[in-house]
Amino acid sequence: MRIKLSDHFGYRKLAKFTLPTVAMMVFVSVYGVVDGLFISNFVNETAFTAVNFVWPLLMILGAFGFMLGTGGSALISKTLGEGDEKLANKLFSMFLYVSIALGVALAVVMGLLLPTLLRAMSAEGQMLADCITYGRLILCALPAQILQFEFQSFFVTAEKPTYGFWYTLVAGLTNIALDALFVVGFHWGIAGAAIATGMSQLVGGLLP
């Protein structure tokens, strides 16, 4: 049974409507955990430390997707409530274009500044090199990561929150499978883990 935003929400209906989004957030958090598991067991401790060191910076950038998605979905919902579906569609497209442009700009700027930021955070030696490798490879998929986070809010606005869960689940399984292939099978080390995560973000950001 489809739940509409115009429905009266009791505790049970609210839980049913929000549970997919909560589960989606759990799977998003698994990205770094999965990479850490494969790297710690099949690469080395330095690479594992590097992933945990640079991951918060990457998540801060991805949070722009939540920001745009939350604000955008509120504006689009208001416009739909006023009965102007044509304007709502234009706003939706505008937010997507802005997100892609912002993602590209942030990826380029952060890619250039990443070594300086990491040194300021006291990274050095092999860990610094691993941080730069992992960070720059994942930054290549930053526009898709921002879109992935943004779509979670838009799916709720479209009254289809389960879509966000399923797309995130598929992206997470893609990450696990590619980590196994690139890190364990091909022995690509930390670069393989970064490529696997980046490709899973492409799945989660572009398919919706």
Side-chain angles (χ1 to χ4, degrees):
M1 180 178 179
R2 181 179 176 183
I3 300 176
K4 296 183 178 181
L5 292 177
S6 57
D7 291 345
H8 172 72
F9 279 83
Y11 290 112
R12 180 175 297 180
K13 184 172 288 188
L14 180 63
K16 183 178 180 181
F17 191 73
T18 57
L19 188 59
T21 304
V22 174
M24 175 277 301
M25 289 299 300
V26 173
F27 277 100
V28 167
S29 303
V30 168
Y31 278 141
V33 176
V34 169
D35 282 358
L37 284 172
F38 278 95
I39 290 172
S40 62
N41 284 284
F42 298 99
V43 186
N44 55 59
E45 294 179 357
T46 301
F48 175 64
T49 303
V51 170
N52 288 280
F53 198 82
V54 75
W55 187 254
L57 292 176
L58 301 173
M59 289 304 295
I60 289 172
L61 297 176
F64 279 95
F66 287 119
M67 179 186 72
L68 290 167
T70 301
S73 62
L75 184 57
I76 292 169
S77 296
K78 174 180 177 294
T79 306
L80 286 173
E82 294 170 346
D84 195 343
E85 185 174 345
K86 184 176 181 180
L87 177 58
N89 287 332
K90 288 183 178 180
L91 289 171
F92 173 71
S93 298
M94 181 194 71
F95 275 102
L96 292 189
Y97 297 147
V98 169
S99 299
I100 294 170
L102 179 63
V104 172
L106 287 174
V108 172
V109 172
M110 182 56 70
L112 294 173
L113 295 179
L114 191 60
T116 302
L117 290 174
L118 292 170
R119 290 190 184 96
M121 295 166 62
S122 302
E124 58 184 17
Q126 184 59 45
M127 191 180 81
L128 174 62
D130 286 343
C131 283
I132 293 173
T133 298
Y134 186 81
R136 282 180 169 170
L137 284 172
I138 290 188
L139 283 172
C140 294
L142 181 61
Q145 182 187 16
I146 289 176
L147 286 178
Q148 180 181 8
F149 291 167
E150 186 174 8
F151 268 116
Q152 307 315 315
S153 297
F154 287 152
F155 279 135
V156 174
T157 302
E159 300 172 337
K160 298 177 180 178
T162 54
Y163 280 30
F165 168 74
W166 288 115
Y167 277 118
T168 303
L169 177 61
V170 171
L173 294 176
T174 300
N175 189 26
I176 294 172
L178 293 180
D179 266 335
L181 178 64
F182 296 157
V183 178
V184 182
F186 294 167
H187 304 289
W188 287 356
I190 193 169
I195 294 171
T197 297
M199 292 181 69
S200 68
Q201 289 170 347
L202 291 176
V203 170
L206 299 185
L207 283 184

